[in-house]
Amino acid sequence: EHFGDYFAWGETEPKSNYSISNYKWNNGDETDFTKYCINSIYGYNGFTDDKTILDKEDDAAYVNWGDKWRMPTQIELVELIYNCKWEWTTSNNVNGYLVTGLNGNSIFLPAAGRLTRNNLIDAGTCGRYWLSNLTEYDTYAGAFQGAPYGSELFFCYNEYNPEGIYELSEYYREYGLTIRPVVSEN
């Protein structure tokens, strides 16, 4: 039920303030990315490196938990969404989803919200968990643009989503989201 630490996408240590001005892979502007950039529009001085998956040294699960652990991929999340039962519940006074697989194993994902700058938002109603992939799709523009967002599991159960929602999404990678590591198969 614990929320755990919050991380910016591609950073391995929690911090007290999450913004573009102190994001490790940026020079302080929405178009100044210095790593994990596939579109020169978003890269610092036109920078691109075509990296779309976190390097091990930038994977918070690998760095903090050890070499068997890593952040999940988009493919693993899609499998979780479509092959598991999702039930909104409360466990030890913490709201979240109980996700149960076909084999009966389950995981509780608390609605940990997100840290934007130093404000915890939507805790208790929504959850956002980083994946290891950079997204190429810009939902806000409605197109594939090599946008500078990190991929995430997004879920919410509130007045705007009274039946609950859980989906693959993307979010501004400079903000603080939680992670739920998986064990690497290799």
Side-chain angles (χ1 to χ4, degrees):
E1 297 86 19
H2 297 283
F3 291 175
D5 289 324
Y6 293 78
F7 299 92
W9 189 87
E11 293 186 9
T12 59
E13 295 180 13
K15 51 191 179 183
S16 60
N17 187 341
Y18 293 85
S19 68
I20 198 70
S21 65
N22 70 354
Y23 178 57
K24 181 178 183 177
W25 305 117
N26 189 280
N27 279 348
D29 187 284
E30 295 293 332
T31 58
D32 281 352
F33 288 96
T34 59
K35 189 171 184 182
Y36 303 108
C37 189
I38 58 176
N39 186 330
S40 62
I41 293 171
Y42 300 108
Y44 180 66
N45 288 331
F47 169 81
T48 62
D49 60 7
D50 294 324
K51 289 179 177 257
T52 59
I53 298 176
L54 288 172
D55 291 333
K56 281 185 175 184
E57 64 267 16
D58 301 323
D59 182 317
Y62 177 82
V63 170
N64 289 287
W65 286 37
D67 65 346
K68 291 185 178 184
W69 296 93
R70 61 176 173 77
M71 291 170 52
T73 66
Q74 288 178 348
I75 292 170
E76 290 166 331
L77 176 62
V78 169
E79 289 176 8
L80 193 72
I81 289 173
Y82 291 105
N83 295 329
C84 294
K85 175 185 171 193
W86 289 67
E87 177 186 1
W88 184 259
T89 189
T90 301
S91 179
N92 292 326
N93 295 318
V94 176
N95 293 332
Y97 270 105
L98 179 65
V99 184
T100 306
L102 298 173
N103 62 4
N105 291 342
S106 63
I107 182 173
F108 178 74
L109 299 172
R114 69 187 187 271
L115 278 170
T116 303
R117 293 174 187 75
N118 61 356
N119 300 312
L120 181 59
I121 300 170
D122 293 332
T125 60
C126 298
R128 297 184 110 109
Y129 290 82
W130 284 129
L131 304 176
S132 61
N133 304 78
L134 187 65
T135 188
E136 297 178 38
Y137 189 77
D138 187 343
T139 299
Y140 307 104
F144 286 93
Q145 297 185 347
Y149 304 112
S151 293
E152 65 166 349
L153 161 61
F154 169 73
F155 64 79
C156 218
Y157 194 94
N158 58 20
E159 66 272 13
Y160 305 108
N161 300 288
E163 308 212 0
I165 184 173
Y166 45 91
E167 63 187 8
L168 169 64
S169 187
E170 71 279 331
Y171 201 59
Y172 302 98
R173 59 192 196 178
E174 66 267 18
Y175 293 141
L177 306 187
T178 52
I179 62 170
R180 283 300 179 264
V182 297
V183 174
S184 185
E185 293 180 14
N186 13 353

